[in-house]
Amino acid sequence: MKEEHATMRIVILETSDVHGYMMPYSYVDGSSINQGLSVISSLINEHRQHSEEVLLIDNGDFLQGSPLTYHQAKVDQSRPTTVIECMNAMNYDAVVPGNHEFNFGKSYLEKAFTASSFPWLSANVLSEETGEPLFGTPYRIWEWDNGVRLAVLGLTTHYVPNWEHPNHLEGITFTNPIVAAKQWVPYLREQEQVDVVIVSYHGGFERDLVSGEPTESLTGENLGYALCEEVSGIDVLLSGHQHRVISGEEVAGVCVVQPGSEGQFVGKVTLSLQKVEHKWIVNHKQSEIVSCESFVADPIVSELTTPAENNLQQWLDQPIGFVEGDNMRILNPFQARMTEHPFIEWIQRVQMEISGAEISCTALFDDLAPGFDSIITMRDIMINYKYPNTLRVLRLEGRDIKAALERSAQYFHLNDSGDIEVSSAFLYPKTQHFNYDMWEGLNYTINVSKAHGERIVNLEREGMPILADKQYVVVMNNYRASGGGEYSMFKDKPIVKEISVDMVEILADYIRDKGTIVSTVNDNWHVISGA
């Protein structure tokens, strides 16, 4: 007798790179914005009401990135992180640790892990001592009464040691995610007899999803495209890390999705399964992006978040100092990267004064950084300096400085009218304003009309040319010092000094100590469009 075909529908909802954003308002001005975990919770609840089988997975970078997460990690550690409390209340089925989960050190990481009511999945983050997955299990399997078995395998970008402070990674090993996937995907198919394999990878795509052409230097930071092409047996790839919004695409037959950042969107994958000859097969899969725009905050998550947010708001609004002279407000971020701005010069001078270095480099991280008004609060510092960076002083040769400046000079492009604009390479597939550095302690000019590698002219220090084989002492953040942002010329250079204090603390303490900081600018560098 011929078996009647049975069917099943499964919905996978993905969050990624939420970065601790909880409530639907801006930390800059308090304006309403429909994003964050409290809003996502309402979106999730609606899907659970209308779909029988819904799995909720977070793809990483949930513990760091907002003023709230900084405050709880650095200022008030009296309770488990609010982010974890809310994710518990939202009934997440599993999470994958991202690179930023390691930013606040092992103790904080363990505290968050212990407080979680859901498993943390990563097949390639291992205990150095045992060689086993650091968080216990690399995958989770769901089985339904009809016999369908679905697995989610977690993977984390193995580039973490290139960015993170070594103390935060003591006893932890990161292996290549493709190697790990080639081990575990066949195991899930053959040994665990699963019908569906979902890979949740905290990493993005190194190639254009349609053409397959490289979209970034193939450093290994992002290997999503290679995972799809080189590892057979994957049905769906949940991705992240790049903060891109991707849906409706397939790579080598693998359905892919990526839901942006800061809780603005949720990735949704709908799977249709059919039972054929005693075996369940995926006969259709579709990815889409669901916006949080039309949802309001879930009162349960809001109530959990409110005490921590109230403490945070009081702390953020504390005045800690003043600006003398023209204020350091950034009105035009592009112009602040074209012509030296007093706020950037101040950051540089703090880095040089604290470290004793003769040269400094830093970036204006994004277009939302507002600079300072005449009164400075903790909110101003947190908004302007959004990453938990520390400082590292390197001994570099002149050729390294020149190479780094040429890398930064690629940020600019001449359009058909001869006007300077931001190069598309710094805007797609991911906005990378943070990878354009400005320098203090040097004089230089960027001539955008020249070819890449030849744009830096008039490179001097104290009236003397920078010599290729002469050594110089330079301070920068730990991300850049490790080669992050394709600054390979810094990687493995001699370290003169490590300053382990977080930059937010350094800047706040500096302002408190001075009381008033002076707005100055020395115009030591210029960007021009021709001779």
Side-chain angles (χ1 to χ4, degrees):
M1 186 174 180
K2 188 174 181 180
E3 179 187 40
E4 183 180 349
H5 288 182
T7 61
M8 184 179 185
R9 182 173 175 270
I10 302 173
V11 173
I12 299 100
L13 299 177
E14 178 205 8
T15 56
S16 189
D17 301 274
V18 173
H19 285 292
Y21 279 84
M22 309 295 298
M23 301 296 282
Y25 51 71
S26 167
Y27 284 113
V28 178
D29 57 14
S31 61
S32 177
I33 47 176
N34 279 25
Q35 65 182 68
L37 277 183
S38 62
V39 179
I40 286 176
S41 184
S42 295
L43 186 158
I44 300 301
N45 289 338
E46 180 175 286
H47 277 78
R48 283 174 171 156
Q49 289 173 7
H50 293 91
S51 299
E52 290 185 6
E53 308 301 341
V54 176
L55 300 182
L56 177 58
I57 310 295
D58 186 89
N59 192 57
D61 282 4
F62 46 86
L63 280 185
Q64 176 278 337
S66 70
L68 176 65
T69 54
Y70 179 89
H71 185 253
Q72 292 202 311
K74 295 289 189 175
V75 181
D76 179 11
Q77 293 192 25
S78 62
R79 56 191 286 183
T81 68
T82 296
V83 173
I84 297 297
E85 291 181 61
C86 292
M87 293 176 77
N88 286 340
M90 293 168 66
N91 294 313
Y92 269 83
D93 290 293
V95 302
V96 174
N99 52 295
H100 284 293
E101 263 62 77
F102 301 89
N103 283 167
F104 296 128
K106 290 184 67 178
S107 175
Y108 194 75
L109 179 70
E110 290 169 0
K111 184 178 180 180
F113 173 68
T114 302
S116 301
S117 61
F118 41 79
W120 292 35
L121 312 176
S122 188
N124 68 311
V125 180
L126 309 178
S127 163
E128 195 172 82
E129 180 180 356
T130 66
E132 298 297 319
L134 180 71
F135 301 102
T137 178
Y139 61 86
R140 182 179 177 183
I141 293 176
W142 288 259
E143 182 171 6
W144 286 268
D145 291 342
N146 60 9
V148 170
R149 286 171 61 82
L150 178 149
V152 172
L153 175 71
L155 297 170
T156 303
T157 175
H158 70 310
Y159 216 63
V160 177
N162 290 279
W163 306 310
E164 194 55 66
H165 195 289
N167 290 348
H168 294 175
L169 304 178
E170 188 175 350
I172 303 174
T173 299
F174 294 79
T175 63
N176 189 299
I178 295 177
V179 174
K182 286 182 176 179
Q183 172 190 352
W184 287 104
V185 172
Y187 177 86
L188 291 170
R189 290 286 186 185
E190 297 163 11
Q191 302 300 317
E192 293 284 8
Q193 294 290 300
V194 300
D195 305 292
V196 184
V197 173
I198 313 292
V199 172
S200 186
Y201 166 52
H202 188 82
F205 297 96
E206 71 281 24
R207 296 180 181 274
D208 183 272
L209 297 183
V210 177
S211 69
E213 291 298 314
T215 54
E216 58 182 64
S217 295
L218 302 180
T219 60
E221 175 181 348
N222 298 298
L223 293 172
Y225 197 94
L227 273 169
C228 295
E229 277 208 321
E230 297 179 23
V231 183
S232 61
I234 301 173
D235 293 297
V236 176
L237 180 67
L238 309 179
S239 66
H241 185 58
Q242 292 173 312
H243 298 191
R244 297 171 65 185
V245 178
I246 297 171
S247 66
E249 300 284 355
E250 286 195 2
V251 176
V254 179
C255 180
V256 302
V257 68
Q258 189 173 144
S261 64
E262 298 182 2
Q264 300 176 71
F265 305 98
V266 170
K268 178 180 178 181
V269 176
T270 304
L271 299 177
S272 296
L273 287 81
Q274 187 172 41
K275 192 173 185 180
V276 179
E277 297 180 355
H278 308 289
K279 181 177 178 61
W280 285 97
I281 62 170
V282 178
N283 60 7
H284 183 71
K285 48 192 174 183
Q286 178 65 44
S287 66
E288 58 187 291
I289 293 294
V290 184
S291 173
C292 293
E293 185 64 31
S294 61
F295 293 87
V296 298
D298 179 352
I300 294 176
V301 176
S302 296
E303 185 177 351
L304 283 171
T305 308
T306 295
E309 281 285 347
N310 288 343
N311 291 340
L312 169 67
Q313 295 298 333
Q314 292 178 6
W315 180 72
L316 286 176
D317 288 331
Q318 297 173 7
I320 60 172
F322 305 90
V323 174
E324 179 182 305
D326 293 337
N327 68 41
M328 297 181 180
R329 195 72 177 173
I330 297 173
L331 301 177
N332 186 322
F334 179 70
Q335 285 302 317
R337 299 184 183 100
M338 283 276 292
T339 304
E340 189 176 25
H341 191 280
F343 176 77
I344 298 298
E345 180 169 301
W346 176 73
I347 296 286
Q348 307 272 36
R349 294 197 178 281
V350 172
Q351 292 188 168
M352 294 164 76
E353 187 173 326
I354 293 296
S355 67
E358 58 194 9
I359 299 170
S360 171
C361 66
T362 193
L364 179 61
F365 293 137
D366 59 36
D367 285 351
L368 299 178
F372 291 158
D373 280 320
S374 56
I375 299 175
I376 307 171
T377 66
M378 277 303 305
R379 185 185 303 276
D380 297 318
I381 296 175
M382 291 294 302
I383 293 167
N384 282 287
Y385 210 102
K386 62 187 293 185
Y387 298 115
N389 291 334
T390 56
L391 293 180
R392 191 173 297 171
V393 182
L394 301 182
R395 191 177 305 281
L396 302 176
E397 294 181 339
R399 59 175 56 87
D400 301 319
I401 293 174
K402 172 65 160 55
L405 282 164
E406 291 289 358
R407 161 63 181 153
S408 283
Q410 295 176 22
Y411 178 79
F412 297 109
H413 167 75
L414 282 184
N415 63 24
D416 293 340
S417 301
D419 298 321
I420 299 175
E421 59 186 19
V422 180
S423 168
S424 61
F426 283 75
L427 299 174
Y428 178 83
K430 175 182 178 179
T431 303
Q432 300 178 58
H433 298 305
F434 54 84
N435 280 332
Y436 166 66
D437 285 342
M438 294 159 278
W439 290 64
E440 190 65 37
L442 303 173
N443 291 285
Y444 63 93
T445 299
I446 298 176
N447 188 336
V448 185
S449 69
K450 292 183 176 292
H452 288 181
E454 301 175 4
R455 289 183 166 183
I456 303 302
V457 296
N458 304 322
L459 177 57
E460 298 177 344
R461 170 168 168 75
E462 296 180 339
M464 300 295 293
I466 294 292
L467 302 178
D469 56 356
K470 184 176 179 179
Q471 293 187 333
Y472 302 86
V473 177
V474 182
V475 60
M476 63 190 71
N477 68 56
N478 61 304
Y479 169 77
R480 186 69 79 238
S482 65
E486 300 184 27
Y487 285 81
S488 59
M489 69 292 298
F490 296 150
K491 192 173 174 59
D492 299 325
K493 293 297 180 180
I495 299 173
V496 177
K497 184 187 296 185
E498 287 266 14
I499 300 172
S500 59
V501 180
D502 189 283
M503 267 298 285
V504 167
E505 295 180 45
I506 289 175
L507 298 177
D509 288 346
Y510 185 93
I511 294 170
R512 287 193 182 100
D513 181 59
K514 300 293 184 183
T516 298
I517 61 174
V518 180
S519 175
T520 62
V521 62
N522 62 3
D523 296 316
N524 63 294
W525 55 267
H526 302 88
V527 180
I528 61 175
S529 59

